[in-house]
């Protein structure tokens, strides 16, 4: 039984993940947004690596041509400023790794093991220096390439530095001049995606709780609600990219500026919504998983379904406010949706209060005389 439960859980995870992959792939193809930006940046990194290999390996016939495409891939960052900063950090640490490893090979008379003992401990410690950021690991890996590559002399060291420089220049050029990432719409797009995903989760719960076996789907709801926290983090990253994307970016002058992103207070507001939705799905999942817990009555779930349905309607109007025009009319619709949602919450609260009073009266009747 335990093995069957494990396989069922693994199969549900695979189905959920495959659904997310299909959704992301479809979004990248049919609409502009974060998925398409990721697709473009990935293709640009691949193109930069191919171009760097063509220059260093096919044209120059460099002895360590691998360093050029390897460096080019790391240069295609989320912003042009990030590419420049990454390029400086990476070239510095790769140059240090190349020079140190070459000197170690000369000092040990090209004995590989001895050169590794002199190089790797120092380069790993140097790679943790905060000025190198996330590029510090490239010092040790470059040193490994140099040491395992064989004999080191002035010519080979110069080739390795030149190949690294070729990759850095090509990667930076591709990122800066081929569809440079400006991130004008990222904040709005990602916040809109968060609102729509919240609407989907609320709608799925409202539909499921209206059926007899609705709680059986609670694990899927909880998994989807956990994805909302990831989407919220994506909104924060988009805000950082929006500020960083305009620095040293030639694409900022070539493209028209879009509307200003939503206020930062919207992030905090939807963060509170995501926290409450996640807590609700966790509670429903606990009711379904723990057989010792007595679930509420079907009438309670029916009223809760109505509340969630109205909350999903509010999210639908909010998504139109973020993406559409006619904001005056949409604000009126949102106010009406809020009133309906509060009315549904009032009905649920009255039901809970009435249920508690009935329970108290039953307890009073069952109490023995004199107690």
């Amino acid at each position: 039984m335990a093995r069957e439960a494990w396989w069922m859980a693994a199969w549900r995870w695979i189905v959920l993940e495959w659904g997310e992959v299909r959704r992301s792939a479809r979004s990248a193809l049919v609409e502009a947004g974060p998925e398409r930006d990721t697709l473009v940046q990935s293709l640009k990194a691949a193109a930069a690596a191919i171009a760097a290999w063509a220059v260093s390996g096919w044209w120059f016939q460099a002895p360590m041509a691998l360093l050029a495409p390897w460096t080019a891939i790391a240069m295609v960052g989320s912003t042009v400023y990030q590419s420049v900063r990454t390029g400086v950090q990476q070239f510095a640490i790769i140059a240090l790794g190349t020079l140190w490893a070459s000197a170690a090979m000369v000092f040990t008379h090209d004995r590989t093991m001895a050169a590794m003992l002199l190089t790797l401990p120092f380069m790993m410690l140097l790679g943790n220096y905060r000025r190198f950021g996330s590029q510090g690991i490239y010092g040790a890996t470059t040193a490994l390439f140099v040491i395992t590559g064989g004999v080191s002399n002035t010519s080979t060291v110069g080739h390795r530095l030149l190949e690294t420089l070729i990759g850095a220049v090509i990667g930076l050029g591709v990122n800066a001049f081929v569809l440079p990432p400006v991130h004008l719409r990222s904040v709005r797009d990602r916040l809109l995606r968060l609102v729509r995903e919240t609407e989907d989760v609320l709608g799925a719960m409202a539909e499921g709780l209206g059926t007899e076996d609705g709680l059986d789907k609670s694990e899927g709801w909880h998994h989807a609600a956990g994805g909302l926290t990831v989407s919220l983090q994506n909104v924060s990253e988009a805000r950082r990219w929006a500020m960083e994307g305009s620095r040293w970016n030639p694409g900022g002058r070539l493209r028209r500026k879009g509307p200003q992103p939503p206020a930062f207070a919207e992030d905090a507001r939807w963060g509170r919504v995501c926290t409450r939705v996640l807590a609700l799905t966790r509670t429903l999942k606990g009711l379904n998983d723990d057989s010792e817990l007595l679930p509420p009555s079907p009438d309670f779930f029916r009223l809760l379904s109505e509340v969630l349905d109205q909350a999903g309607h509010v999210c639908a109007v909010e998504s139109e406010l973020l993406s559409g025009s006619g904001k005056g009319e949409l604000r009126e619709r949102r106010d009406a949706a809020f009133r309906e949602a509060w009315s549904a919450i009032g009905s649920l609260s009255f039901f809970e209060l009435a249920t508690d009073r009935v329970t108290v009266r039953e307890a009073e009747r069952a109490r023995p005389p004199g107690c």
Side-chain angles (χ1 to χ4, degrees):
M1 293 296 294
R3 180 176 299 179
E4 292 179 1
W6 185 88
W7 278 110
M8 289 297 296
W11 176 250
R12 284 196 296 267
W13 180 84
I14 292 173
V15 171
L16 291 172
E17 287 297 314
W18 176 243
E20 292 293 325
V21 171
R22 289 179 57 190
R23 183 189 62 80
S24 298
R26 184 172 62 252
S27 298
L29 294 175
V30 302
E31 63 180 356
E35 285 81 6
R36 181 171 292 181
D37 292 340
T38 301
L39 174 64
V40 170
Q41 289 299 103
S42 300
L43 295 178
K44 284 168 58 177
I50 294 171
W53 174 263
V55 172
S56 61
W58 178 64
W59 188 13
F60 286 159
Q61 296 292 318
M64 285 288 288
L66 172 65
L67 290 176
W70 182 54
T71 306
I73 289 176
M75 291 299 300
V76 183
S78 300
T79 63
V80 175
Y81 170 77
Q82 188 180 87
S83 292
V84 175
R85 184 185 61 192
T86 299
V88 173
Q89 292 173 335
Q90 190 182 77
F91 185 78
I93 191 65
I94 286 177
L96 285 172
T98 300
L99 294 173
W100 188 276
S102 301
M105 290 290 286
V106 172
F107 182 76
T108 60
H109 302 289
D110 297 325
R111 286 179 292 184
T112 302
M113 182 58 70
M116 285 188 179
L117 290 173
L118 290 176
T119 302
L120 292 183
F122 173 75
M123 292 308 304
M124 289 301 299
L125 290 172
L126 186 64
N128 290 317
Y129 181 46
R130 63 184 180 88
R131 295 298 183 185
F132 292 125
S134 60
Q135 308 302 311
I137 190 63
Y138 288 114
T141 54
T142 302
L144 281 175
F145 288 153
V146 172
I147 293 172
T148 57
V151 179
S152 295
N153 52 45
T154 304
S155 176
T156 57
V157 172
H159 272 294
R160 286 158 184 157
L161 294 177
L162 177 62
E163 291 144 18
T164 301
L165 182 61
I166 289 173
V169 171
I170 291 177
L172 177 59
V174 168
N175 200 37
F177 297 104
V178 179
L179 297 176
V182 181
H183 298 290
L184 292 177
R185 64 174 187 275
S186 295
V187 177
R188 187 175 300 275
D189 285 347
R190 293 190 179 231
L191 187 58
L192 180 60
R193 180 66 54 79
L194 173 63
V195 176
R196 289 175 175 171
E197 289 177 355
T198 305
E199 178 189 355
D200 292 340
V201 175
L202 292 173
M205 286 194 293
E207 181 180 359
L209 291 175
T211 61
E212 294 182 359
D213 57 347
L215 283 181
D216 293 341
K217 304 176 183 178
S218 58
E219 184 173 354
W221 302 339
H222 187 58
H223 183 274
L228 297 180
T229 59
V230 178
S231 297
L232 186 63
Q233 293 174 357
N234 291 338
V235 175
S236 300
E237 292 179 3
R239 287 198 180 274
R240 177 176 60 83
W241 290 347
M243 293 185 292
E244 189 179 285
S246 60
R247 302 177 66 181
W248 304 347
N249 193 337
R253 299 181 180 180
L254 300 176
R255 303 182 187 181
R256 291 181 300 175
K257 291 186 177 180
Q260 291 296 319
F264 182 76
E266 291 294 303
D267 300 2
R269 184 164 73 99
W270 284 101
R272 293 192 295 270
V273 172
C274 294
T275 300
R276 285 162 174 77
V277 172
L278 183 62
L280 177 59
T281 58
R282 186 185 300 114
T283 301
L284 295 175
K285 183 176 180 296
L287 287 173
N288 184 61
D289 293 342
D290 194 343
S291 59
E292 295 182 358
L293 292 176
L294 181 64
S297 65
D299 290 335
F300 175 85
F301 282 131
R302 178 180 57 80
L303 291 172
L304 179 59
S305 173
E306 294 178 4
V307 171
L308 296 176
D309 183 64
Q310 294 298 332
H313 182 56
V314 172
C315 292
V317 180
E318 290 278 2
S319 66
E320 293 183 38
L321 274 170
L322 284 171
S323 60
S325 57
K327 293 186 180 296
E329 179 185 355
L330 288 174
R331 288 194 179 96
E332 293 179 359
R333 288 175 53 193
R334 181 181 62 181
D335 294 340
F338 270 122
R339 287 192 295 270
E340 294 177 1
W342 279 113
S343 176
I345 292 174
S347 300
L348 180 62
S349 300
F350 179 78
F351 176 83
E352 290 179 324
L353 181 61
T355 303
D356 291 341
R357 288 177 177 175
V358 170
T359 304
V360 170
R361 285 198 297 267
E362 291 177 351
E364 291 288 343
R365 292 172 184 171
R367 181 183 301 174
C371 293

